[in-house]
Amino acid sequence: MFNKKFVVKTILSFILAAVFLVSASTSIQGPEIWIYATIIGVALIGYTVYSFVSDKPGTEES
Amino acid sequence: MLKSKARRIELVLAFVLFIAEGLLYLTFRSTELNMFRLYEHAGPWVDSLREWGSGLSLPQWVRYSLPDGLWLLSYLLLVDAIWNKFDKASFIWYLCMPAVAFGSELAQMCWGFTGTYDMMDLVCYSAAVVITLIIVYSKNYIRKKIAANV
């Protein structure tokens, strides 16, 4: 349905984004960044799910 | 060959930049930051590092803005190492962390978001994006040139 390379790259990117969001949250004083990080995180989860169920991005060889 | 070599260079550079960013934070930034809770049990090396750093006279932007730029550049290099090109499938991953960086800075300026708005932060973020664009376009240019010669 979609190529393996695309799935691996998407999962790696998702983990990378999560790690960098957590690292950003440690470089401030308050917990407010979690509101922002949650919005970005939900958007990324949504995009990841969308790209997995939609064959459009996955069919491209990258 | 070029692809894997460029990828290796990007990975090494990204990790070096990420570590440098972390060390700059640990050395020069307020101990009120969340990260210092993680380093409470790290031993005396953080205190030694901060003591050593207190003797250095670095410009303000190196202490407060450069780490943010290094953080973003490190992320963008890692994304580029993973995807190797900017296209429909990868653009969201290239854009998400710059969105966090610029968005949080603008939120600090407009809505009093936690942190201090600093123009130099935006300059360092922009520099990270420009450096990444140069790397991405240089790689594309070299790739096309090699393909044309084959």
PDB file of all heavy atoms in Angstrom, chain B residues 117-143:
ATOM      1  N   TYR B 117      11.139  37.540  25.097  1.00  0.00           N
ATOM      2  CA  TYR B 117      11.261  37.784  23.655  1.00  0.00           C
ATOM      3  C   TYR B 117      12.592  38.460  23.368  1.00  0.00           C
ATOM      4  O   TYR B 117      12.972  39.401  24.042  1.00  0.00           O
ATOM      5  CB  TYR B 117      10.105  38.673  23.159  1.00  0.00           C
ATOM      6  CG  TYR B 117      10.349  39.213  21.776  1.00  0.00           C
ATOM      7  CD1 TYR B 117      10.237  38.373  20.671  1.00  0.00           C
ATOM      8  CD2 TYR B 117      10.723  40.531  21.567  1.00  0.00           C
ATOM      9  CE1 TYR B 117      10.489  38.840  19.396  1.00  0.00           C
ATOM     10  CE2 TYR B 117      10.969  41.016  20.293  1.00  0.00           C
ATOM     11  CZ  TYR B 117      10.851  40.164  19.210  1.00  0.00           C
ATOM     12  OH  TYR B 117      11.112  40.628  17.960  1.00  0.00           O
ATOM     13  N   ASP B 118      13.306  37.933  22.384  1.00  0.00           N
ATOM     14  CA  ASP B 118      14.601  38.503  22.029  1.00  0.00           C
ATOM     15  C   ASP B 118      14.753  38.443  20.512  1.00  0.00           C
ATOM     16  O   ASP B 118      14.630  37.376  19.908  1.00  0.00           O
ATOM     17  CB  ASP B 118      15.716  37.691  22.708  1.00  0.00           C
ATOM     18  CG  ASP B 118      17.094  38.304  22.512  1.00  0.00           C
ATOM     19  OD1 ASP B 118      17.204  39.296  21.758  1.00  0.00           O
ATOM     20  OD2 ASP B 118      18.052  37.788  23.124  1.00  0.00           O
ATOM     21  N   MET B 119      15.010  39.602  19.924  1.00  0.00           N
ATOM     22  CA  MET B 119      15.182  39.692  18.471  1.00  0.00           C
ATOM     23  C   MET B 119      16.320  38.789  17.992  1.00  0.00           C
ATOM     24  O   MET B 119      16.240  38.189  16.914  1.00  0.00           O
ATOM     25  CB  MET B 119      15.466  41.165  18.122  1.00  0.00           C
ATOM     26  CG  MET B 119      15.514  41.448  16.651  1.00  0.00           C
ATOM     27  SD  MET B 119      13.895  41.156  15.907  1.00  0.00           S
ATOM     28  CE  MET B 119      14.307  41.323  14.196  1.00  0.00           C
ATOM     29  N   MET B 120      17.377  38.678  18.821  1.00  0.00           N
ATOM     30  CA  MET B 120      18.524  37.849  18.431  1.00  0.00           C
ATOM     31  C   MET B 120      18.145  36.364  18.323  1.00  0.00           C
ATOM     32  O   MET B 120      18.754  35.632  17.560  1.00  0.00           O
ATOM     33  CB  MET B 120      19.690  38.016  19.421  1.00  0.00           C
ATOM     34  CG  MET B 120      20.577  39.205  19.136  1.00  0.00           C
ATOM     35  SD  MET B 120      21.098  39.370  17.429  1.00  0.00           S
ATOM     36  CE  MET B 120      22.235  37.999  17.270  1.00  0.00           C
ATOM     37  N   ASP B 121      17.140  35.949  19.103  1.00  0.00           N
ATOM     38  CA  ASP B 121      16.653  34.560  18.981  1.00  0.00           C
ATOM     39  C   ASP B 121      16.115  34.339  17.574  1.00  0.00           C
ATOM     40  O   ASP B 121      16.406  33.327  16.930  1.00  0.00           O
ATOM     41  CB  ASP B 121      15.533  34.280  19.991  1.00  0.00           C
ATOM     42  CG  ASP B 121      16.050  34.149  21.415  1.00  0.00           C
ATOM     43  OD1 ASP B 121      17.277  34.137  21.588  1.00  0.00           O
ATOM     44  OD2 ASP B 121      15.218  34.073  22.338  1.00  0.00           O
ATOM     45  N   LEU B 122      15.317  35.318  17.102  1.00  0.00           N
ATOM     46  CA  LEU B 122      14.748  35.201  15.753  1.00  0.00           C
ATOM     47  C   LEU B 122      15.854  35.200  14.692  1.00  0.00           C
ATOM     48  O   LEU B 122      15.769  34.468  13.703  1.00  0.00           O
ATOM     49  CB  LEU B 122      13.766  36.352  15.492  1.00  0.00           C
ATOM     50  CG  LEU B 122      12.438  36.293  16.249  1.00  0.00           C
ATOM     51  CD1 LEU B 122      11.600  37.526  15.964  1.00  0.00           C
ATOM     52  CD2 LEU B 122      11.648  35.044  15.885  1.00  0.00           C
ATOM     53  N   VAL B 123      16.902  36.020  14.930  1.00  0.00           N
ATOM     54  CA  VAL B 123      18.024  36.073  13.986  1.00  0.00           C
ATOM     55  C   VAL B 123      18.715  34.703  13.936  1.00  0.00           C
ATOM     56  O   VAL B 123      19.026  34.190  12.847  1.00  0.00           O
ATOM     57  CB  VAL B 123      19.034  37.193  14.372  1.00  0.00           C
ATOM     58  CG1 VAL B 123      20.303  37.118  13.535  1.00  0.00           C
ATOM     59  CG2 VAL B 123      18.377  38.565  14.225  1.00  0.00           C
ATOM     60  N   CYS B 124      18.936  34.102  15.108  1.00  0.00           N
ATOM     61  CA  CYS B 124      19.613  32.790  15.156  1.00  0.00           C
ATOM     62  C   CYS B 124      18.750  31.693  14.541  1.00  0.00           C
ATOM     63  O   CYS B 124      19.263  30.816  13.837  1.00  0.00           O
ATOM     64  CB  CYS B 124      20.002  32.441  16.589  1.00  0.00           C
ATOM     65  SG  CYS B 124      21.383  33.415  17.169  1.00  0.00           S
ATOM     66  N   TYR B 125      17.433  31.744  14.792  1.00  0.00           N
ATOM     67  CA  TYR B 125      16.533  30.767  14.155  1.00  0.00           C
ATOM     68  C   TYR B 125      16.583  30.934  12.628  1.00  0.00           C
ATOM     69  O   TYR B 125      16.635  29.938  11.896  1.00  0.00           O
ATOM     70  CB  TYR B 125      15.086  30.973  14.632  1.00  0.00           C
ATOM     71  CG  TYR B 125      14.804  30.561  16.063  1.00  0.00           C
ATOM     72  CD1 TYR B 125      13.927  31.278  16.859  1.00  0.00           C
ATOM     73  CD2 TYR B 125      15.393  29.419  16.603  1.00  0.00           C
ATOM     74  CE1 TYR B 125      13.645  30.891  18.163  1.00  0.00           C
ATOM     75  CE2 TYR B 125      15.127  29.028  17.910  1.00  0.00           C
ATOM     76  CZ  TYR B 125      14.247  29.777  18.682  1.00  0.00           C
ATOM     77  OH  TYR B 125      13.982  29.384  19.969  1.00  0.00           O
ATOM     78  N   SER B 126      16.541  32.192  12.188  1.00  0.00           N
ATOM     79  CA  SER B 126      16.567  32.448  10.744  1.00  0.00           C
ATOM     80  C   SER B 126      17.870  31.942  10.133  1.00  0.00           C
ATOM     81  O   SER B 126      17.868  31.363   9.042  1.00  0.00           O
ATOM     82  CB  SER B 126      16.420  33.949  10.453  1.00  0.00           C
ATOM     83  OG  SER B 126      15.248  34.430  11.043  1.00  0.00           O
ATOM     84  N   ALA B 127      18.984  32.154  10.844  1.00  0.00           N
ATOM     85  CA  ALA B 127      20.292  31.692  10.352  1.00  0.00           C
ATOM     86  C   ALA B 127      20.276  30.165  10.204  1.00  0.00           C
ATOM     87  O   ALA B 127      20.787  29.626   9.208  1.00  0.00           O
ATOM     88  CB  ALA B 127      21.396  32.129  11.297  1.00  0.00           C
ATOM     89  N   ALA B 128      19.662  29.471  11.176  1.00  0.00           N
ATOM     90  CA  ALA B 128      19.585  28.003  11.110  1.00  0.00           C
ATOM     91  C   ALA B 128      18.797  27.558   9.880  1.00  0.00           C
ATOM     92  O   ALA B 128      19.197  26.628   9.173  1.00  0.00           O
ATOM     93  CB  ALA B 128      18.930  27.453  12.389  1.00  0.00           C
ATOM     94  N   VAL B 129      17.688  28.265   9.603  1.00  0.00           N
ATOM     95  CA  VAL B 129      16.858  27.912   8.435  1.00  0.00           C
ATOM     96  C   VAL B 129      17.635  28.187   7.139  1.00  0.00           C
ATOM     97  O   VAL B 129      17.646  27.355   6.221  1.00  0.00           O
ATOM     98  CB  VAL B 129      15.523  28.702   8.461  1.00  0.00           C
ATOM     99  CG1 VAL B 129      14.755  28.522   7.162  1.00  0.00           C
ATOM    100  CG2 VAL B 129      14.668  28.262   9.649  1.00  0.00           C
ATOM    101  N   VAL B 130      18.317  29.335   7.086  1.00  0.00           N
ATOM    102  CA  VAL B 130      19.081  29.697   5.875  1.00  0.00           C
ATOM    103  C   VAL B 130      20.204  28.680   5.631  1.00  0.00           C
ATOM    104  O   VAL B 130      20.402  28.217   4.498  1.00  0.00           O
ATOM    105  CB  VAL B 130      19.637  31.140   5.995  1.00  0.00           C
ATOM    106  CG1 VAL B 130      20.643  31.437   4.878  1.00  0.00           C
ATOM    107  CG2 VAL B 130      18.498  32.147   5.957  1.00  0.00           C
ATOM    108  N   ILE B 131      20.930  28.300   6.691  1.00  0.00           N
ATOM    109  CA  ILE B 131      22.023  27.313   6.548  1.00  0.00           C
ATOM    110  C   ILE B 131      21.460  25.984   6.021  1.00  0.00           C
ATOM    111  O   ILE B 131      22.035  25.367   5.121  1.00  0.00           O
ATOM    112  CB  ILE B 131      22.764  27.113   7.898  1.00  0.00           C
ATOM    113  CG1 ILE B 131      23.561  28.369   8.235  1.00  0.00           C
ATOM    114  CG2 ILE B 131      23.696  25.890   7.838  1.00  0.00           C
ATOM    115  CD1 ILE B 131      24.104  28.407   9.654  1.00  0.00           C
ATOM    116  N   THR B 132      20.299  25.576   6.557  1.00  0.00           N
ATOM    117  CA  THR B 132      19.688  24.325   6.090  1.00  0.00           C
ATOM    118  C   THR B 132      19.292  24.422   4.618  1.00  0.00           C
ATOM    119  O   THR B 132      19.526  23.490   3.842  1.00  0.00           O
ATOM    120  CB  THR B 132      18.441  23.980   6.939  1.00  0.00           C
ATOM    121  OG1 THR B 132      18.825  24.007   8.306  1.00  0.00           O
ATOM    122  CG2 THR B 132      17.890  22.619   6.600  1.00  0.00           C
ATOM    123  N   LEU B 133      18.701  25.574   4.235  1.00  0.00           N
ATOM    124  CA  LEU B 133      18.311  25.751   2.831  1.00  0.00           C
ATOM    125  C   LEU B 133      19.535  25.669   1.920  1.00  0.00           C
ATOM    126  O   LEU B 133      19.483  25.048   0.852  1.00  0.00           O
ATOM    127  CB  LEU B 133      17.600  27.100   2.642  1.00  0.00           C
ATOM    128  CG  LEU B 133      16.168  27.180   3.177  1.00  0.00           C
ATOM    129  CD1 LEU B 133      15.630  28.595   3.049  1.00  0.00           C
ATOM    130  CD2 LEU B 133      15.258  26.205   2.439  1.00  0.00           C
ATOM    131  N   ILE B 134      20.645  26.287   2.352  1.00  0.00           N
ATOM    132  CA  ILE B 134      21.882  26.239   1.562  1.00  0.00           C
ATOM    133  C   ILE B 134      22.341  24.784   1.405  1.00  0.00           C
ATOM    134  O   ILE B 134      22.686  24.350   0.296  1.00  0.00           O
ATOM    135  CB  ILE B 134      22.986  27.112   2.207  1.00  0.00           C
ATOM    136  CG1 ILE B 134      22.611  28.603   2.100  1.00  0.00           C
ATOM    137  CG2 ILE B 134      24.354  26.851   1.553  1.00  0.00           C
ATOM    138  CD1 ILE B 134      23.484  29.539   2.909  1.00  0.00           C
ATOM    139  N   ILE B 135      22.290  24.030   2.507  1.00  0.00           N
ATOM    140  CA  ILE B 135      22.721  22.615   2.457  1.00  0.00           C
ATOM    141  C   ILE B 135      21.809  21.806   1.524  1.00  0.00           C
ATOM    142  O   ILE B 135      22.281  21.070   0.658  1.00  0.00           O
ATOM    143  CB  ILE B 135      22.738  21.996   3.881  1.00  0.00           C
ATOM    144  CG1 ILE B 135      23.875  22.626   4.693  1.00  0.00           C
ATOM    145  CG2 ILE B 135      22.904  20.473   3.827  1.00  0.00           C
ATOM    146  CD1 ILE B 135      23.848  22.298   6.178  1.00  0.00           C
ATOM    147  N   VAL B 136      20.477  21.987   1.680  1.00  0.00           N
ATOM    148  CA  VAL B 136      19.517  21.229   0.862  1.00  0.00           C
ATOM    149  C   VAL B 136      19.711  21.540  -0.626  1.00  0.00           C
ATOM    150  O   VAL B 136      19.807  20.641  -1.462  1.00  0.00           O
ATOM    151  CB  VAL B 136      18.061  21.537   1.313  1.00  0.00           C
ATOM    152  CG1 VAL B 136      17.056  20.978   0.316  1.00  0.00           C
ATOM    153  CG2 VAL B 136      17.801  20.964   2.694  1.00  0.00           C
ATOM    154  N   TYR B 137      19.828  22.846  -0.960  1.00  0.00           N
ATOM    155  CA  TYR B 137      19.961  23.221  -2.371  1.00  0.00           C
ATOM    156  C   TYR B 137      21.329  22.829  -2.935  1.00  0.00           C
ATOM    157  O   TYR B 137      21.423  22.447  -4.102  1.00  0.00           O
ATOM    158  CB  TYR B 137      19.657  24.711  -2.571  1.00  0.00           C
ATOM    159  CG  TYR B 137      18.169  24.961  -2.520  1.00  0.00           C
ATOM    160  CD1 TYR B 137      17.566  25.558  -1.420  1.00  0.00           C
ATOM    161  CD2 TYR B 137      17.339  24.535  -3.563  1.00  0.00           C
ATOM    162  CE1 TYR B 137      16.187  25.741  -1.353  1.00  0.00           C
ATOM    163  CE2 TYR B 137      15.967  24.718  -3.515  1.00  0.00           C
ATOM    164  CZ  TYR B 137      15.400  25.324  -2.409  1.00  0.00           C
ATOM    165  OH  TYR B 137      14.037  25.487  -2.357  1.00  0.00           O
ATOM    166  N   SER B 138      22.380  22.894  -2.104  1.00  0.00           N
ATOM    167  CA  SER B 138      23.709  22.466  -2.567  1.00  0.00           C
ATOM    168  C   SER B 138      23.695  20.972  -2.890  1.00  0.00           C
ATOM    169  O   SER B 138      24.252  20.552  -3.912  1.00  0.00           O
ATOM    170  CB  SER B 138      24.777  22.727  -1.502  1.00  0.00           C
ATOM    171  OG  SER B 138      24.770  24.063  -1.149  1.00  0.00           O
ATOM    172  N   LYS B 139      23.058  20.192  -2.009  1.00  0.00           N
ATOM    173  CA  LYS B 139      22.983  18.743  -2.248  1.00  0.00           C
ATOM    174  C   LYS B 139      22.212  18.448  -3.530  1.00  0.00           C
ATOM    175  O   LYS B 139      22.622  17.608  -4.334  1.00  0.00           O
ATOM    176  CB  LYS B 139      22.311  18.048  -1.050  1.00  0.00           C
ATOM    177  CG  LYS B 139      23.285  17.759   0.083  1.00  0.00           C
ATOM    178  CD  LYS B 139      22.581  17.393   1.357  1.00  0.00           C
ATOM    179  CE  LYS B 139      21.850  16.098   1.297  1.00  0.00           C
ATOM    180  NZ  LYS B 139      21.167  15.792   2.566  1.00  0.00           N
ATOM    181  N   ASN B 140      21.097  19.159  -3.736  1.00  0.00           N
ATOM    182  CA  ASN B 140      20.310  18.977  -4.965  1.00  0.00           C
ATOM    183  C   ASN B 140      21.121  19.337  -6.201  1.00  0.00           C
ATOM    184  O   ASN B 140      21.083  18.645  -7.210  1.00  0.00           O
ATOM    185  CB  ASN B 140      19.043  19.841  -4.928  1.00  0.00           C
ATOM    186  CG  ASN B 140      17.957  19.192  -4.097  1.00  0.00           C
ATOM    187  OD1 ASN B 140      18.048  18.008  -3.785  1.00  0.00           O
ATOM    188  ND2 ASN B 140      16.963  19.958  -3.727  1.00  0.00           N
ATOM    189  N   TYR B 141      21.871  20.438  -6.094  1.00  0.00           N
ATOM    190  CA  TYR B 141      22.683  20.921  -7.227  1.00  0.00           C
ATOM    191  C   TYR B 141      23.749  19.886  -7.582  1.00  0.00           C
ATOM    192  O   TYR B 141      23.923  19.521  -8.749  1.00  0.00           O
ATOM    193  CB  TYR B 141      23.325  22.253  -6.837  1.00  0.00           C
ATOM    194  CG  TYR B 141      24.246  22.813  -7.893  1.00  0.00           C
ATOM    195  CD1 TYR B 141      23.729  23.435  -9.038  1.00  0.00           C
ATOM    196  CD2 TYR B 141      25.636  22.735  -7.744  1.00  0.00           C
ATOM    197  CE1 TYR B 141      24.578  23.947 -10.008  1.00  0.00           C
ATOM    198  CE2 TYR B 141      26.481  23.239  -8.708  1.00  0.00           C
ATOM    199  CZ  TYR B 141      25.957  23.853  -9.843  1.00  0.00           C
ATOM    200  OH  TYR B 141      26.799  24.347 -10.796  1.00  0.00           O
ATOM    201  N   ILE B 142      24.447  19.379  -6.552  1.00  0.00           N
ATOM    202  CA  ILE B 142      25.503  18.386  -6.781  1.00  0.00           C
ATOM    203  C   ILE B 142      24.896  17.097  -7.357  1.00  0.00           C
ATOM    204  O   ILE B 142      25.433  16.514  -8.301  1.00  0.00           O
ATOM    205  CB  ILE B 142      26.278  18.103  -5.459  1.00  0.00           C
ATOM    206  CG1 ILE B 142      27.055  19.350  -5.038  1.00  0.00           C
ATOM    207  CG2 ILE B 142      27.243  16.935  -5.628  1.00  0.00           C
ATOM    208  CD1 ILE B 142      27.588  19.307  -3.621  1.00  0.00           C
ATOM    209  N   ARG B 143      23.739  16.707  -6.800  1.00  0.00           N
ATOM    210  CA  ARG B 143      23.078  15.483  -7.266  1.00  0.00           C
ATOM    211  C   ARG B 143      22.714  15.603  -8.754  1.00  0.00           C
ATOM    212  O   ARG B 143      22.940  14.700  -9.539  1.00  0.00           O
ATOM    213  CB  ARG B 143      21.820  15.261  -6.428  1.00  0.00           C
ATOM    214  CG  ARG B 143      21.355  13.802  -6.434  1.00  0.00           C
ATOM    215  CD  ARG B 143      20.103  13.631  -5.591  1.00  0.00           C
ATOM    216  NE  ARG B 143      20.355  13.911  -4.187  1.00  0.00           N
ATOM    217  CZ  ARG B 143      19.537  14.600  -3.392  1.00  0.00           C
ATOM    218  NH1 ARG B 143      18.434  15.117  -3.871  1.00  0.00           N
ATOM    219  NH2 ARG B 143      19.823  14.790  -2.136  1.00  0.00           N
TER     220      ARG B 143
END
